[in-house]
Amino acid sequence: MSSPAATETLPAATPAAAHIFTTVLSHGPLTRLEVARRAGLSAAAVTKAVRPLIESGYLVEEADTGAGAHTEVRPALGRPATLVRVDGGRALFIGVKLTGDEIIGVLTDLCCRILLARRVPLAGRDPEAVLATAADLVRELLTEADGYGVRVAGLGIAVAGDVDRAEGVVRYSPFLEWRDVPLAGLAAAVTGLPVTVDNDVRALTVAEQWFGAGVGLSDFAVVTVGAGIGCGLVVHGRVVAGAHGVAGEIGHVTVDPNGPPCHCGNRGCVEAIAADAAILARIRETGGTEVAGTAEAVDRARHGDTDAREAYARAGEAIGRGIATVANLLGPARVIISGEGLAAYDLFAEQIREAFTAAAFGSAAQCDVRTRPLPFEEWARGAAATAIQCFITAPN
Amino acid sequence: MSSPAATETLPAATPAAAHIFTTVLSHGPLTRLEVARRAGLSAAAVTKAVRPLIESGYLVEEADTGAGAHTEVRPALGRPATLVRVDGGRALFIGVKLTGDEIIGVLTDLCCRILLARRVPLAGRDPEAVLATAADLVRELLTEADGYGVRVAGLGIAVAGDVDRAEGVVRYSPFLEWRDVPLAGLAAAVTGLPVTVDNDVRALTVAEQWFGAGVGLSDFAVVTVGAGIGCGLVVHGRVVAGAHGVAGEIGHVTVDPNGPPCHCGNRGCVEAIAADAAILARIRETGGTEVAGTAEAVDRARHGDTDAREAYARAGEAIGRGIATVANLLGPARVIISGEGLAAYDLFAEQIREAFTAAAFGSAAQCDVRTRPLPFEEWARGAAATAIQCFITAPN
C-alpha cells in the first residue's frame, strides 16, 4: 500500500476496533453479543468500538426481524434484539485487474458488492500505456460513482506475477513483461486515490476470506485454473505472501519429472499439464490435428473426441495432485477451486477428485474440496477487496 | 495439553506478559528497551510485565558488561544499562521422545538446556508397557532433579505420527502401532506432572523456533531426514498443525509417479526414495547384493560403491525437490535440514542443493537452506520445549 493522496480510513482507532468492524462486515448483521463472541472480545469492548462507527455511519443498527443469517444466538422472548450491520453504501471502492490483453474494472460498495463492471482492451503493454488506459477506466468509474453521491475511498489493482504489496511494486509480471514497476505510486499520482497493489490470486483470496467461501475459516486455499494455475493460501487467518514474495505456486508442483517442459525450466509441472495452453498442446500432439482455442477443445471433448477428453483428464489428475500436495503440507479446512477453467469443469472434475483422494495423506483427505464459479469481473472484485482491507486496517 | 495434576505456570497474567517473557527467553539478555522494541510493545508495558517476573525469580537483572549478544542497541556512555535475562535454573522440565524401539529422556532447565539425557530400550509397544517404561524413566529424572533443589514444572512427550496436542491424544503412531491413545491424561496420572503431547517433528520445530535456528523468523521450515522424512512449518509465527491434524507431510510429496511404492499407497513419494529403508532397498535392487543397514550403506558409498552412491544421490534429489515444493508454496525465509540422516549428508548435500535450485520458482530460490546436526537427545529436547511453551502460555 502506498499513496501520496490524502487517505481517509475508517474511524477505527485500534486493531480491536478494526477486527470488530471486519467481523460485522463478514458475518453481519449480528447482535452485539454475537460480535463479541465471534471476535473473542468483551461486550464492553464491542460497545466502545461500535459507537464511533455508528456515529460516522459505517455501522447501522436495525431491529432483529428474525430474517437474518445470525441463527446461532436467538433473542430471548420479549423485546427484539438490535442487530448491527455495515452500511455498504457508506463508501465506494474501485477494483482493477490487469491482464496482458485487457483491463477489467469494477465499482463496489463497502461490502464488496459490484455496482458496475467495465472491460477495456489494452493498446500496449508498457507501463505508460497500461497506466493511461487504467486511468481512463478509473475516471469513468469515478464519474459513475458521482451518481451515488458517495466518495470513492480506495483503488485496488491486481496483477498476475510477483507483486510486493507492502512496497506497491510489481516485481515481475510475465503477461505484461514488467519488472520493478512502482505501480501503486504511479496510479495514486494519476488518480488521486489511495492505491493497493497485490498479486491477483492473493487478491481473490482476500475476497473469499472476507466475503466468500473462506469466511470464518482460519486455514483454507483458493486454487485458480485457466490460463495459469494459481493458488492463494490463508494460514492462521492471514494470506501467505512468502518471505521473498513467492508463495502459493501450486502451478510449479511437479507431477511428472518426465512430463512436458514448463516455462519455469522444469518438466511436468501442474501448469505444464493443466493450463489452457498445455491442454491445447496435448490435443495437437496426440491427435496430430490443429485446435484453434479452448472453446473448440471443450466442444470437441464434450462431443466425445478421445484426444481432447484425454487431455482434460490428464489436466484434472495434475490439478488433483497439486491440491493434495497443498493439503498434505498445510492441512487446510477447505480448498476452493475457481477460475475461468471451471467452464470445462465437467471434463475433469472426476479426475481432480480421484487424484486428490489417492494422493491425500491420512486425514488430509477430509479437506473440503469445492468449486466456485468465477465471473470475469470477480478478479477485479478481488482487487476492490484489497482496497477495502487497507481502508479498514490502515493506521489512522 | 491435559493434566489432572495441580499445574503451576508462570506469573504472566496476560498474553503480552507471556510474549515479553518469550522474547527475553529467545533473545536475552536484553535491555528493557530492546525487549520493548522486539516485542512491539511500549516500555511501560514491559516494565509492568517484568516486575512480577523478577519478584518471582523467573527473570533476573544484571549489569551490562558488553559481553552479551544484544549488539543492536549499545548503552550510552556513563552508567551501564541493566540487562534482563531468564534464570534458566528457576524451573526444570522433562522431555521424552518415544520411538518404536526405545525411549529417550532429557532433563532441561527453563532455557531448554539439557542437564541430563537417558535412553532405555522398549520391552513392548502396547501403551501400558510403553507408559510403564516411560514412567520409570521420568521417575529417574525426577530423582536426579531433586539434586538441583528445583521443581520440575512440566513433562513433554513427542511421538511420530498423527498427534492431537490440544486433546493430548496420539491419534495414530505408525512405529508404535497405536490408535487414539489418550497419552497426556495417562502420563499425567502416573507422573503427577502437567503433560504436553505433540508430534515429534512439530516439537522439534518449537525448539528451533524458541531456542534454535528459527529464532526471530516468522516463516521457516524444519525438514528431518532419516528413518522417515518429516517437516515442521512455522507460518506467521506459529507452528502449522492442519485443520484435520495432518500438516508438513513433505515425505508424501510425489517426486516420480512411476517411482517405488510408498507405504501410503502411492508411488515415488519423497519418503519412498529418501528414507533410510528406501535407500537400502535401492542398493539391494540395483546392486543385487545384500546390505545390512544404514551404517554399511554409508560406508560403501564413501568407499566409492556406485550403487550406494547412486541411491544416496537419488535420495538427495528427492529431498531437494520436496524442499522446493515447500518453498514454492510457502516462501519460508529459511529451511533447516536436520535428523539422523544428516550423518550421511556428504553423500547427498550436492544433490539436495541442485534439485532445490532447479525446482525453486523465481525468488523462492533465495530461501536460506541450511543444515543443523541433530544429536539423538535433541528429539527429547523438542518435547521439553513444548512443555516450556505450555508452562509460559497456559492460562493462569
Side-chain angles (χ1 to χ4, degrees):
Chain A
M1 180 187 38
S2 163
S3 165
T7 59
E8 186 190 322
T9 56
L10 201 69
T14 62
H19 180 46
I20 286 166
F21 187 81
T22 308
T23 301
V24 178
L25 187 62
S26 290
H27 299 276
L30 295 173
T31 63
R32 281 177 165 78
L33 259 179
E34 284 174 287
V35 175
R37 186 178 60 82
R38 285 181 187 267
L41 294 164
S42 69
V46 171
T47 297
K48 188 181 165 192
V50 158
R51 194 176 305 125
L53 292 166
I54 290 177
E55 283 166 4
S56 55
Y58 288 100
L59 293 181
V60 291
E61 289 183 295
E62 61 187 20
D64 184 359
T65 60
H70 55 99
T71 50
E72 293 90 350
V73 181
R74 305 301 312 167
L77 287 174
R79 199 164 65 92
T82 305
L83 299 178
V84 182
R85 66 170 173 82
V86 170
D87 179 6
R90 179 63 181 77
L92 300 180
F93 296 84
I94 293 173
V96 167
K97 157 80 186 257
L98 308 181
T99 77
D101 312 307
E102 63 174 353
I103 300 182
I104 302 160
V106 294
L107 180 68
T108 79
D109 70 5
L110 178 53
C111 296
C112 217
R113 287 177 292 228
I114 295 175
L115 306 174
L116 285 166
R118 294 277 185 277
R119 54 204 302 179
V120 288
L122 274 182
R125 292 182 182 173
D126 59 294
E128 291 72 25
V130 173
L131 196 67
T133 308
D136 284 346
L137 180 63
V138 169
R139 273 189 286 270
E140 191 189 330
L141 291 169
L142 283 171
T143 305
E144 298 279 1
D146 281 345
Y148 291 87
V150 180
R151 189 178 52 89
V152 171
L155 166 63
I157 307 178
V159 194
D162 184 353
V163 180
D164 184 335
R165 173 168 164 164
E167 298 293 322
V169 175
V170 178
R171 298 275 175 224
Y172 175 57
S173 160
F175 296 120
L176 290 167
E177 293 163 44
W178 286 4
R179 284 194 186 275
D180 296 317
V181 175
L183 185 60
L186 295 170
V190 297
T191 65
L193 293 170
V195 178
T196 311
V197 174
D198 208 340
N199 166 276
D200 58 345
V201 182
R202 284 205 297 268
L204 196 66
T205 305
V206 170
E208 289 296 316
Q209 183 183 21
W210 283 33
F211 307 103
V215 167
L217 299 179
S218 61
D219 300 274
F220 72 94
V222 174
V223 173
T224 58
V225 298
I229 312 292
C231 179
L233 296 166
V234 170
V235 178
H236 299 147
R238 288 168 54 198
V239 175
V240 177
H244 305 289
V246 165
E249 287 294 347
I250 195 176
H252 300 285
V253 166
T254 307
V255 172
D256 178 2
N258 302 311
C262 182
H263 61 86
C264 75
N266 289 288
R267 284 185 163 272
C269 296
V270 172
E271 200 156 282
I273 297 171
D276 288 344
I279 294 172
L280 298 185
R282 175 72 178 181
I283 299 173
R284 288 186 193 111
E285 188 191 310
T286 53
T289 56
E290 195 42 52
V291 51
T294 297
E296 187 190 324
V298 169
D299 192 55
R300 275 209 219 169
R302 289 207 179 120
H303 285 85
D305 179 305
T306 316
D307 299 318
R309 292 193 73 83
E310 187 266 352
Y312 276 102
R314 230 167 66 111
E317 194 191 329
I319 294 165
R321 279 179 177 274
I323 292 173
T325 302
V326 169
N328 292 348
L329 286 175
L330 291 166
R334 181 173 292 163
V335 172
I336 304 154
I337 308 175
S338 196
E340 313 81 47
L342 272 198
Y345 195 63
D346 56 306
L347 298 170
F348 53 52
E350 194 183 321
Q351 289 79 8
I352 289 180
R353 179 77 49 186
E354 279 173 9
F356 168 76
T357 304
F361 185 76
S363 57
Q366 293 172 24
C367 175
D368 169 28
V369 179
R370 57 168 70 179
T371 58
R372 186 170 158 85
L374 187 79
F376 75 92
E377 66 270 17
E378 205 76 4
W379 288 108
R381 182 172 174 256
T386 66
I388 294 171
Q389 189 180 44
C390 279
F391 174 76
I392 294 170
T393 59
N396 284 269
Chain B
M1 179 188 39
S2 162
S3 166
T7 59
E8 187 189 321
T9 55
L10 200 70
T14 63
H19 181 46
I20 286 167
F21 186 80
T22 308
T23 302
V24 178
L25 187 61
S26 290
H27 299 277
L30 295 172
T31 63
R32 280 176 166 76
L33 260 178
E34 284 173 286
V35 175
R37 186 177 61 80
R38 284 182 186 266
L41 294 164
S42 71
V46 170
T47 296
K48 187 179 165 195
V50 158
R51 194 178 305 123
L53 292 166
I54 290 177
E55 283 166 5
S56 53
Y58 288 99
L59 293 180
V60 291
E61 291 184 295
E62 60 186 22
D64 184 359
T65 59
H70 53 101
T71 49
E72 293 89 350
V73 181
R74 305 301 311 166
L77 287 175
R79 197 165 65 91
T82 303
L83 299 179
V84 183
R85 66 171 171 81
V86 171
D87 178 4
R90 180 63 180 78
L92 300 180
F93 296 85
I94 293 174
V96 166
K97 157 80 184 254
L98 308 181
T99 76
D101 311 309
E102 63 173 356
I103 300 182
I104 302 160
V106 295
L107 180 70
T108 79
D109 70 4
L110 179 54
C111 295
C112 217
R113 286 177 292 229
I114 295 176
L115 306 176
L116 285 166
R118 296 277 185 279
R119 54 204 298 181
V120 289
L122 274 182
R125 291 182 183 173
D126 58 294
E128 291 71 25
V130 172
L131 195 67
T133 308
D136 285 346
L137 181 62
V138 169
R139 272 189 287 271
E140 189 190 332
L141 292 168
L142 283 171
T143 304
E144 298 279 1
D146 281 344
Y148 291 87
V150 180
R151 191 177 50 88
V152 171
L155 165 64
I157 307 179
V159 194
D162 184 352
V163 180
D164 185 333
R165 172 168 162 164
E167 298 293 323
V169 175
V170 178
R171 299 273 176 226
Y172 176 56
S173 160
F175 295 120
L176 289 167
E177 292 163 45
W178 286 4
R179 282 195 188 273
D180 296 316
V181 175
L183 187 59
L186 296 172
V190 296
T191 65
L193 293 170
V195 178
T196 311
V197 174
D198 208 341
N199 167 277
D200 58 346
V201 181
R202 285 206 297 267
L204 197 67
T205 305
V206 170
E208 289 297 315
Q209 184 183 20
W210 282 34
F211 307 104
V215 167
L217 299 178
S218 62
D219 301 274
F220 72 94
V222 173
V223 173
T224 58
V225 299
I229 312 291
C231 179
L233 297 165
V234 170
V235 177
H236 299 148
R238 288 169 54 198
V239 175
V240 177
H244 305 289
V246 165
E249 288 293 347
I250 195 176
H252 301 284
V253 166
T254 306
V255 172
D256 178 3
N258 301 312
C262 181
H263 62 84
C264 75
N266 288 289
R267 285 183 163 274
C269 297
V270 172
E271 199 156 282
I273 297 170
D276 288 343
I279 294 172
L280 298 185
R282 175 73 178 179
I283 298 173
R284 289 186 193 113
E285 186 190 312
T286 52
T289 56
E290 195 40 52
V291 50
T294 297
E296 186 189 324
V298 170
D299 191 57
R300 276 208 218 166
R302 289 210 178 116
H303 285 85
D305 178 305
T306 317
D307 300 317
R309 292 192 74 83
E310 188 266 352
Y312 276 102
R314 230 167 68 109
E317 194 192 328
I319 295 165
R321 279 178 177 273
I323 292 173
T325 302
V326 169
N328 292 350
L329 286 175
L330 290 165
R334 180 174 294 162
V335 172
I336 304 155
I337 307 175
S338 196
E340 312 81 45
L342 273 198
Y345 196 63
D346 55 306
L347 297 170
F348 53 52
E350 193 183 320
Q351 288 80 8
I352 290 179
R353 179 78 48 188
E354 279 174 8
F356 168 76
T357 305
F361 185 76
S363 57
Q366 293 172 27
C367 175
D368 169 28
V369 179
R370 57 167 71 178
T371 58
R372 184 171 159 85
L374 187 80
F376 76 92
E377 66 270 18
E378 205 77 2
W379 287 108
R381 182 172 174 256
T386 65
I388 294 170
Q389 191 180 42
C390 279
F391 175 75
I392 294 170
T393 59
N396 283 268

